[in-house]
Structures are given as structure tokens and as C-alpha cells.
């Protein structure tokens, strides 16, 4: 203990006054601490073993103390130094990291700043663009408004001018009436027209008959000379300047003769075959004439076909009839009466023209009948005089010549040496060389300068084909050929207008396009329907009206076209196949040719092209196709469609109770058909089977309606053991098993087969079967 106290109290050797290593010693690594602990234990053992002197010597021995001190602190100092170096390197790396973070921050800030500048620039550019677009839009709207205003002003001026021109008309200045010959195929229209044109042509010289483009012009003196014999008895004062007869017979030319909604045809000859009476196309022509309010004369043609007819060439018909025998006259009267009766059935009052009283003449509904022969010429004089009488008595107001241009396109054709030309009929007003004319095309209006106005020379000079007569000015009514640039797409039957010095081009364009625009506005709005292609605008209009108003149900039209059918038309309508309406992938072509490539394309794309020269035939073809298609769809849907019915089993008429069940039943409600699945809703919808046959009085039938009693055979393939009297009996009514799919099939394909009470039963069964 003394040594221990002495050791404890012994003064410690002086150490360097360094604070940091002591702190570091406390934080020695575990290996150093372990060495130190072992050293202390050894020293304690030595201390107890050694005597005082040794302890004192050791303690007093300064060398041993220095050795211990040097030994213990050297390793500690190294460790501490190492630690400090590590710490320094750590501090340095921390500084480096901080520098990097700072750098990244600065970088990010710079990037964001640049992005902000970029965005601000973008927003500025966008704002400038928006402002520019807004200004542009405002400018466009302003221009449109100015244009609309100018157009309105132009329209106002034009209408005022037209009004002034109408007011300036005079009864002394009449124009030629325009005559069209209409009728059924093979009634003698062309022969009658030829006869009218050629009555006065002798020795190859044209005696006052001028062949024009699309029309034949009769001078006044020609009309007087042709009707002279008849006029001896009629004493009619003829003061018309002449007559214009349209060359192309048939109702196509009548429908073409229209301009801006009004008909250009003044009077018509409706040719009826005396031998056959009224035929389909005659009725069609009759309907057209009455719809337009055009006065007409009925020519009872082929009078020379009456039994034992004696020919009296080119004489008035009454003189010819006086020469006939009683039998011939009787046949004539009988056939004429039949024709009158048929016209009466169509709502037309008519009479042989010389039997008409003054009251009949003043009555606008009364139609004069003129017996004619296109072959031998009897009655042709009568027709000409009658047309002149009608024109002067009834039509003088509309025949007063007017300065307002009324002009319509008859035909567009290419002529060698002249290029593409347009044949037009000028009814009123003037056409001059150098005028800016506006024509109508499917692609919109075109403005073309009239480079030339041509008419053919008199007949005797026709051998020189290209020798047309040039005109500086044309006054209506006249047929003329117009030369100009870019007239390839002009449509027949459309109006032509001229831009005057006070007119606005846009107003004239809109007016020219008005007829076509009206047609396009009436097209099927849901863009599902057939394509209709016609030769002219008038024919197209007539066909569209027929499809829309006279067909049951109406045929929807989604696209229209005029002229030859090309590949592009086929491609356009083939989209109906993709829309799920293959029945409408159809082109109804009225009186137009079809290109060979278009036909090939149609076969590839599954498009049908129906062509006809008569509207009714076209309708019949399409209707037949639709019926076949509907029938095919019905057959496909028959397996799904279930007709509604409730039947009651007659217990006294049970012929077989199972596999198959044959029983007598009464149809309480609805329609029972072969193939109807039956169930018992009262027994949780027990499936009884399917009706495989229905018999009544020993005869098989497909259906049985409400109130009828029939024998039925029920087969259940899924459960052949089902037995009448075990699972169900006569106290249970049997119901048709309806589903949502079967009801949809009924609606789509069998709507007309079900009456209202049947549909009420469907509603009732929907509730029973919980069909939504």
C-alpha cells in the first residue's frame, strides 16, 4: 500500500502543453486501448512483487520514465496525426462537394433564367401571332362584309334594272315562242318534228326555215304560207315574229330548258300514239308539263294507221277526215274517245280542237287534241296554227321581248378547229362578242370571255361544215354556239349570265349557281344514300324530285353529278360499303354514258351502276335490287327473329305427349310462326321446345295469327324427355321466348309484318322476360 500511495503521489513527468493530442487519446482506436490495458496490469503485478527500493529506483530513474512516456505517446501521436490527416481530407472533400453543389445551383439558376427568357420570347411571339391572326381575321371579316355589301348592292341594282326592263316591254315587240315536242318512245316525235321542219323545203332551198344550234327557226312568212289553206276557214290574224322549235325531242330537252328556276319552254306538243293511248313516258311528260304550268297541245299521232285511211298529203286534218269512209271515221272517233278518257283519268280535260267552244278556250285547264300523221303530213298545219293561236291568246304577256338576259346551256361539245364550245339558247336579251359570261360547273362558277358567237349557215351551204356564220351580237330568241376558254366542265341545262358594267361579279356568280346550290342543299343530310348522275341539270332536278317525292319509301341521295361516269365517281360512292350501307354503294345513271374503267372499278369495289333512259326504269331497277337485298337480309335474320305470340293448349286435342309433342292450340295473341321457341314463364321460364310445323285442316302453313286454332308439333332437342301432363299441362299458356337480339331483328327486318297490337305484345313480353 505504501508503494501504491507512493506511486499515486509521485509527481508526473512534465508533458508538452498540447491539448489536441489528449483529446485525441480519449478517442484511441480499440487496439491501442487493449495494449494500454495489458500494460497497466503488468505494472500492477510488478509493483506488488518488487520491493520499495526497486519501486523507488524505478520511479526515480528518469530514463525509464522517459522510455514509458516516449513509448506510450509516440503511437498515440501517430494515430492522432493519422486521424487529423483523415479529418483534413474529409473536410477538403466536404468543401469540394459544397463547391460542386454551389456550382450546380448556379448552373440550374442560369438554365431556369434562360428558360424564362426563352418562354417570355415564345409568349411574345405567340401573342404577336395571335394579334396578327386576329387582325387578319378582322380584316377578312371586313372584306367579307364589304364583299357581301357590294354583292347586295349589285343584286339590288340588277333587280332594279330587271324590273325596269320588264316595265319597258311592249305587246308590239314579241319574241318567238319556244316549242318542245314530248311523248313516249316510238310515238312519232322525231318524225313529226321532221315533218314540221321540212314541210316547206323544196329543191334543196330553205324557204324561211333556218337551222340554228339546237333549234329550228320559222319565219313569220313561212308560218303564214304553211297555214294559209287552214287560215282561209279560221281567219286568224297571226302577228308572231316566228317560231322556235327545239331540235331534240323528248322530255329531256324540256327539263333542260330552264333558267334560274323558271321554264324557258313556252308551249309544248305532247305526242300520243292514237293506236296505243297514253303510255308511261307520256304520263311522265304530262306530269312535268302540269307541274311547270306549261300550256300544251296533244297530237293524236298515227291517224293514218286507222283502217282503210285515204292519204291526203299535208292537208288540214278536217279536209282529210271528209275524204274518209264511215268505218274509218268510226274507228277514229272510238280511238280519240279512248285517248280523251285516259287523259281524263290523269286529270286533264281535253277535246278535239274544232269541237271546243269559246268557254273551253278561255279555260286554261282545257287541252286541245289535234289528230296528225307524221308520215303523210295531215294535221301538221293545224298544229302550227294552234300553237300560234295559243301563243297569241294566252301567252302574249310572257312572249313580250325583254332586255333581261335569259339564256340556258343546251349542250357542251368539242368542235374541230374551235375547241370546246357551248351550245346555248338565248330566249331574251342580248349576247355580244367580248362579254364576260358566267357559267355553272360542279366545281363552282367560271367567268369566261365570249370569243365568238356562231350560227350554222342556211341549209344549202351546210356542205362546208366549218363555215359557221360569226355574229357580233345575238338577240333572243335564238340558238347559238359560244366559243370561250375553259368551258369543258360547263353543265347542260344550267343558266348563263353576263357581267354588265354595273354588276358585281360575286352576285352574278351566286345567281348562276343558285339552281345547283338548291339541289345540293336538298341532299341527304346524314351523307348516306345513292349517287345520282344525269345528263343535264334539268334532268338531275327531275330525277331527284322523283326519288324524293314519288317513290315509296323515298330513296336517299348523298351525291350528285352531271355527265359521263368516271372512276372518281365510283371511288366516291364506294365509301358507303365502309359506312355499313352496301345497298347505297350504287350509282343511278340517267341518260349518261359510263367509262369502261369506271365499270371495271365498280366491279372491284362492289359498286352497282344502274343505267336507263327513262326515270321509271331506273327506279324499277333499284327497287328490284333493294327488294332482293331486303329478302336476303330477312332470310339471314329469320333464325334470330322471334315473332311474339301467346298460345293456349286445347286439352281435348293432345295427339302426342312427348318427343315430339303434338297438340292442338289456339293463338290467343300475336303471330305464331314455324321456328318459334316456346316456354312457360309461370314455371320459371321452362323451355318447352321449338315449333317445327303448323297444320290447319290437314294443310301445312308457315304462320297462324290471333284467333286461329291449329295443330302444332313441338321438338325439344336439348331435353327430349319433356312431357305434356308431367312438366306442364293445358292450364299453362305457352309464350314465344323473346330476347333483345330477336326484338332488334324484328325491328330491322320485319317491322311492316307486325301490326300495332303485335308491337304492344312485344312490349308486354319484354316486361315478362325482363328485357331492357
Amino acid at each position: 500500500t505504501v508503494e501504491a500511495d507512493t506511486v499515486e503521489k509521485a509527481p508526473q513527468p512534465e508533458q508538452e502543453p498540447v491539448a489536441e493530442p489528449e483529446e485525441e487519446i480519449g478517442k484511441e482506436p480499440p487496439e491501442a486501448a487493449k495494449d494500454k490495458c495489458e500494460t497497466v496490469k503488468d505494472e500492477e503485478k510488478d509493483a506488488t512483487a518488487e520491493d520499495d527500493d526497486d519501486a523507488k529506483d524505478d520511479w526515480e530513474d528518469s530514463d525509464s520514465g522517459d522510455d514509458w512516456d516516449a513509448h506510450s505517446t509516440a503511437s498515440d501521436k501517430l494515430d492522432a496525426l493519422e486521424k487529423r490527416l483523415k479529418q483534413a481530407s474529409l473536410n477538403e472533400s466536404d468543401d469540394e462537394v459544397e463547391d460542386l453543389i454551389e456550382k450546380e445551383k448556379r448552373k440550374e439558376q442560369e438554365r431556369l433564367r434562360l428558360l424564362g427568357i426563352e418562354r417570355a420570347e415564345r409568349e411574345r411571339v405567340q401573342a404577336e401571332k395571335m394579334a396578327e391572326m386576329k387582325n387578319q381575321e378582322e380584316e377578312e371579316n371586313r372584306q367579307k362584309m364589304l364583299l357581301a355589301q357590294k354583292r347586295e348592292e349589285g343584286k339590288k341594282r340588277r333587280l332594279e334594272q330587271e324590273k325596269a326592263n320588264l316595265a319597258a316591254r311592249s305587246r308590239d315587240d314579241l319574241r318567238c315562242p319556244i316549242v318542245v315536242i314530248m311523248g313516249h318512245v316510238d310515238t312519232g316525235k322525231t318524225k313529226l318534228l321532221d315533218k314540221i321542219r321540212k314541210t316547206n323545203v323544196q329543191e334543196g332551198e330553205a324557204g324561211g326555215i333556218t337551222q340554228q344550234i339546237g333549234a329550228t327557226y320559222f319565219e313569220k312568212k313561212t308560218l303564214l304560207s304553211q297555214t294559209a289553206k287552214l287560215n282561209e276557214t279560221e281567219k286568224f290574224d297571226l302577228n308572231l315574229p316566228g317560231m322556235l322549235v327545239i331540235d331534240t325531242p323528248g322530255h329531256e330537252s324540256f327539263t333542260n330548258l330552264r333558267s334560274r328556276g323558271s321554264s324557258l319552254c313556252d308551249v309544248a306538243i305532247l305526242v300520243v300514239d292514237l293506236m296505243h293511248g297514253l303510255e308511261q313516258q307520256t304520263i311522265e311528260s304530262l306530269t312535268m308539263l302540269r307541274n311547270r304550268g306549261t300550256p300544251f297541245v296533244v297530237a293524236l299521232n298515227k291517224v293514218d294507221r286507222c283502217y282503210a285511211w285515204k292519204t291526203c298529203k299535208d292537208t288540214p286534218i278536217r279536209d282529210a277526215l271528209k275524204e274518209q269512209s264511215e268505218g274509218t271515221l268510226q274507228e277514229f272517233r272510238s280511238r280519240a274517245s279512248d285517248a280523251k278518257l285516259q287523259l281524263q283519268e290523269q286529270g286533264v280535260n281535253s277535246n278535239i280542237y274544232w269541237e271546243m267552244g269559246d268557254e273551253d278556250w278561255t279555260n286554261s285547264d282545257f287541252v286541245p287534241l289535234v289528230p296528225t300523221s307524221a308520215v303523210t303530213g295531215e294535221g301538221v298545219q293545224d298544229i302550227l296554227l294552234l300553237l300560234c293561236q295559243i301563243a297569241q291568246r294566252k301567252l302574249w304577256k310572257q312572249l313580250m321581248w325583254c332586255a333581261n338576259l335569259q339564256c340556258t346551256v343546251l349542250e357542251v361539245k368539242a368542235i374541230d378547229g374551235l375547241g370546246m364550245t357551248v351550245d346555248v339558247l338565248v330566249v331574251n336579251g342580248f349576247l355580244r362578242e367580248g362579254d364576260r359570261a358566267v357559267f355553272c360547273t360542279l366545281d363552282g362558277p367560271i367567268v369566261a370571255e365570249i370569243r365568238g358567237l356562231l350560227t350554222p349557215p342556211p341549209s344549202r351551204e351546210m356542205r362546208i361544215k366549218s363555215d359557221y356564220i360569226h355574229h357580233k351580237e345575238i338577240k333572243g330568241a335564238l340558238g347559238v354556239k359560244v366559243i370561250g376558254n375553259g368551258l369543258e366542265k360547263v353543265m347542260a341545262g344550267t343558266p348563263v349570265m353576263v357581267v354588265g358594267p354595273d354588276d358585281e361579279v360575286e352576285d352574278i356568280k351566286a345567281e348562276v349557281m343558285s339552281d345547283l346550290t338548291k339541289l345540293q342543299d336538298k341532299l341527304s343530310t346524314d351523307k348516306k344514300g345513292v349517287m345520282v348522275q344525269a345528263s343535264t341539270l334539268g334532268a338531275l332536278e327531275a330525277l331527284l324530285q322523283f326519288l324524293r317525292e314519288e317513290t315509296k319509301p323515298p330513296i336517299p341521295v348523298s351525291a350528285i353529278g352531271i355527265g359521263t361516269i368516271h372512276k372518281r365517281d365510283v371511288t366516291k360512292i364506294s365509301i358507303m360499303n365502309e359506312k355499313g350501307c352496301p345497298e347505297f354503294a350504287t350509282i343511278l345513271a340517267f341518260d349518261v354514258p359510263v367509262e369502261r374503267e369506271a365499270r371495271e372499278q365498280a366491279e372491284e369495289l362492289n359498286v352497282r351502276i344502274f343505267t336507263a333512259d327513262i326515270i321509271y326504269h331506273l327506279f324499277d331497277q333499284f327497287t328490284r335490287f333493294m327488294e332482293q337485298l331486303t329478302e336476303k337480309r330477312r332470310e339471314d335474320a329469320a333464325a334470330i327473329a322471334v315473332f311474339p305470340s301467346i298460345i293456349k293448349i286445347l286439352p281435348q286435342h293432345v295427339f302426342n305427349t312427348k318427343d315430339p309433342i303434338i297438340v292442338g292450340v289456339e293463338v290467343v295473341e300475336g303471330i305464331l310462326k314455324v321456328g318459334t321457341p316456346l316456354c312457360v314463364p309461370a314455371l320459371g321460364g321452362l323451355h318447352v321446345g321449338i315449333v317445327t310445323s303448323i297444320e290447319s285442316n290437314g294443310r301445312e302453313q308457315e304462320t297462324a295469327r290471333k284467333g286461329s286454332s291449329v295443330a302444332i308439333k313441338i321438338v325439344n332437342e336439348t331435353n327430349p324427355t319433356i312431357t305434356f301432363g308431367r312438366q306442364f299441362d293445358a292450364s299453362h299458356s305457352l309464350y314465344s321466348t323473346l330476347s333483345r337480339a330477336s326484338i332488334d331483328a324484328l325491328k330491322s327486318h320485319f317491322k311492316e309484318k307486325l301490326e300495332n297490337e303485335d308491337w304492344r305484345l312485344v312490349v308486354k313480353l319484354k316486361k315478362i322476360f325482363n328485357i331492357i
Side-chain angles (χ1 to χ4, degrees), residues 348-366:
V348 176
N349 294 318
S350 61
N351 207 343
I352 303 290
Y353 85 94
W354 61 83
E355 293 176 4
M356 284 170 68
D358 288 338
E359 280 185 15
D360 295 342
W361 276 109
T362 51
N363 183 353
S364 60
D365 292 342
F366 238 84

Side-chain angles (χ1 to χ4, degrees), residues 371-576:
T372 59
S373 167
V375 176
T376 52
E378 292 99 335
V380 173
Q381 290 189 28
D382 303 65
I383 282 223
L384 286 173
L385 189 64
L386 200 54
L387 290 172
C388 294
Q389 285 179 333
I390 287 175
Q392 277 181 224
R393 285 178 177 173
K394 292 184 177 180
L395 305 174
W396 63 270
K397 280 187 180 175
Q398 75 185 61
L399 290 180
M400 290 193 291
W401 185 85
C402 177
N404 297 335
L405 179 66
Q406 260 189 306
C407 178
T408 222
V409 177
L410 293 177
E411 201 178 350
V412 182
K413 54 185 173 186
I415 301 289
D416 292 343
L418 297 174
M420 198 59 83
T421 63
V422 176
D423 295 352
V424 299
L425 182 71
V426 184
V427 181
N428 270 321
F430 292 101
L431 261 190
R432 299 179 179 89
E433 206 173 272
D435 275 349
R436 285 170 69 212
V438 182
F439 297 90
C440 171
T441 75
L442 269 177
D443 301 335
I446 57 164
V447 182
E449 188 183 325
I450 296 174
R451 292 197 289 116
L453 297 167
L454 311 175
T455 56
S459 299
R460 61 177 178 271
E461 296 172 27
M462 283 295 269
R463 62 185 178 275
I464 311 166
K465 280 192 175 179
S466 61
D467 189 15
Y468 285 97
I469 300 169
H470 283 256
H471 298 266
K472 290 287 177 193
E473 181 179 273
I474 291 287
K475 181 184 175 183
L478 205 63
V480 65
K481 189 179 281 293
V482 175
I483 309 170
N485 291 331
L487 303 179
E488 294 81 11
K489 290 187 177 180
V490 173
M491 296 187 295
T494 56
V496 179
M497 288 181 78
V498 166
V499 182
D502 298 331
D503 290 329
E504 285 296 329
V505 179
E506 291 304 316
D507 164 48
I508 302 292
K509 281 181 179 178
E511 193 61 40
V512 165
M513 293 298 290
S514 59
D515 285 346
L516 185 64
T517 312
K518 280 175 196 164
L519 278 193
Q520 286 173 331
D521 289 346
K522 288 179 184 172
L523 293 183
S524 172
T525 46
D526 58 359
K527 299 296 176 197
K528 283 183 183 177
V530 298
M531 183 179 206
V532 172
Q533 196 96 357
S535 51
T536 67
L537 185 70
L540 181 67
E541 197 174 41
L543 181 54
L544 283 175
Q545 187 178 356
F546 177 78
L547 295 178
R548 195 180 303 114
E549 292 169 19
E550 296 176 46
T551 59
K552 295 284 179 283
I555 296 170
V557 178
S558 64
I560 54 173
I562 286 174
T564 308
I565 294 172
H566 302 285
K567 275 172 76 175
R568 63 173 178 269
D569 301 315
V570 174
T571 310
K572 186 178 179 182
I573 200 64
S574 68
I575 199 165
M576 287 298 151

Side-chain angles (χ1 to χ4, degrees), residues 665-737:
V665 296
E666 183 192 339
V667 182
V668 180
E669 280 185 77
I671 308 164
L672 181 66
K673 277 177 77 82
V674 171
T676 302
L678 297 174
C679 70
V680 184
L683 300 173
L686 172 73
H687 177 57
V688 175
I690 292 170
V691 177
T692 55
S693 69
I694 301 173
E695 268 190 30
S696 177
N697 298 324
R699 288 183 183 173
E700 284 210 4
Q701 55 188 57
E702 281 296 307
T703 59
R705 295 198 76 94
K706 180 182 177 179
S708 54
S709 297
V710 290
I712 62 170
K713 178 160 82 171
I714 304 169
V715 174
N716 190 332
E717 290 178 358
T718 54
N719 184 10
T721 57
I722 195 160
T723 309
F724 173 78
R726 185 180 295 164
Q727 283 95 333
F728 69 102
D729 54 33
S731 65
H732 300 115
S733 291
L734 303 180
Y735 289 65
S736 297
T737 310

Side-chain angles (χ1 to χ4, degrees), residues 143-243:
Q143 290 294 339
K144 276 181 190 170
M145 280 172 71
L146 278 171
L147 207 64
Q149 196 177 334
K150 278 172 81 177
R151 195 165 67 199
E152 282 303 311
E153 285 170 6
K155 189 175 183 178
K156 201 175 175 185
R157 284 198 300 274
R158 177 172 58 79
L159 292 173
E160 281 170 5
Q161 184 62 49
E162 284 181 4
K163 207 173 176 182
N165 289 342
L166 285 170
R169 294 182 306 166
S170 154
R171 191 166 184 173
D172 301 330
D173 185 13
L174 296 180
R175 64 170 173 80
C176 312
I178 293 167
V179 183
V180 168
I181 297 181
M182 301 168 80
H184 194 75
V185 181
D186 295 334
T187 50
K189 298 190 295 285
T190 310
K191 270 202 172 68
L192 187 61
L193 176 64
D194 290 345
K195 202 71 188 168
I196 289 172
R197 281 204 305 236
K198 291 170 187 169
T199 12
N200 207 35
V201 177
Q202 293 157 356
E203 297 164 12
E205 201 164 309
I209 296 176
T210 314
Q211 180 65 35
Q212 296 175 351
I213 298 292
T216 305
Y217 176 66
F218 294 79
E219 290 178 4
K220 184 176 180 180
K221 63 181 183 185
T222 313
L223 290 173
L224 285 169
S225 64
Q226 281 199 23
T227 57
K229 195 173 179 184
L230 179 63
N231 220 2
E232 287 170 13
T233 53
E234 289 291 314
K235 304 281 187 295
F236 178 67
D237 181 21
L238 195 146
N239 60 6
L240 287 174
M243 187 184 288

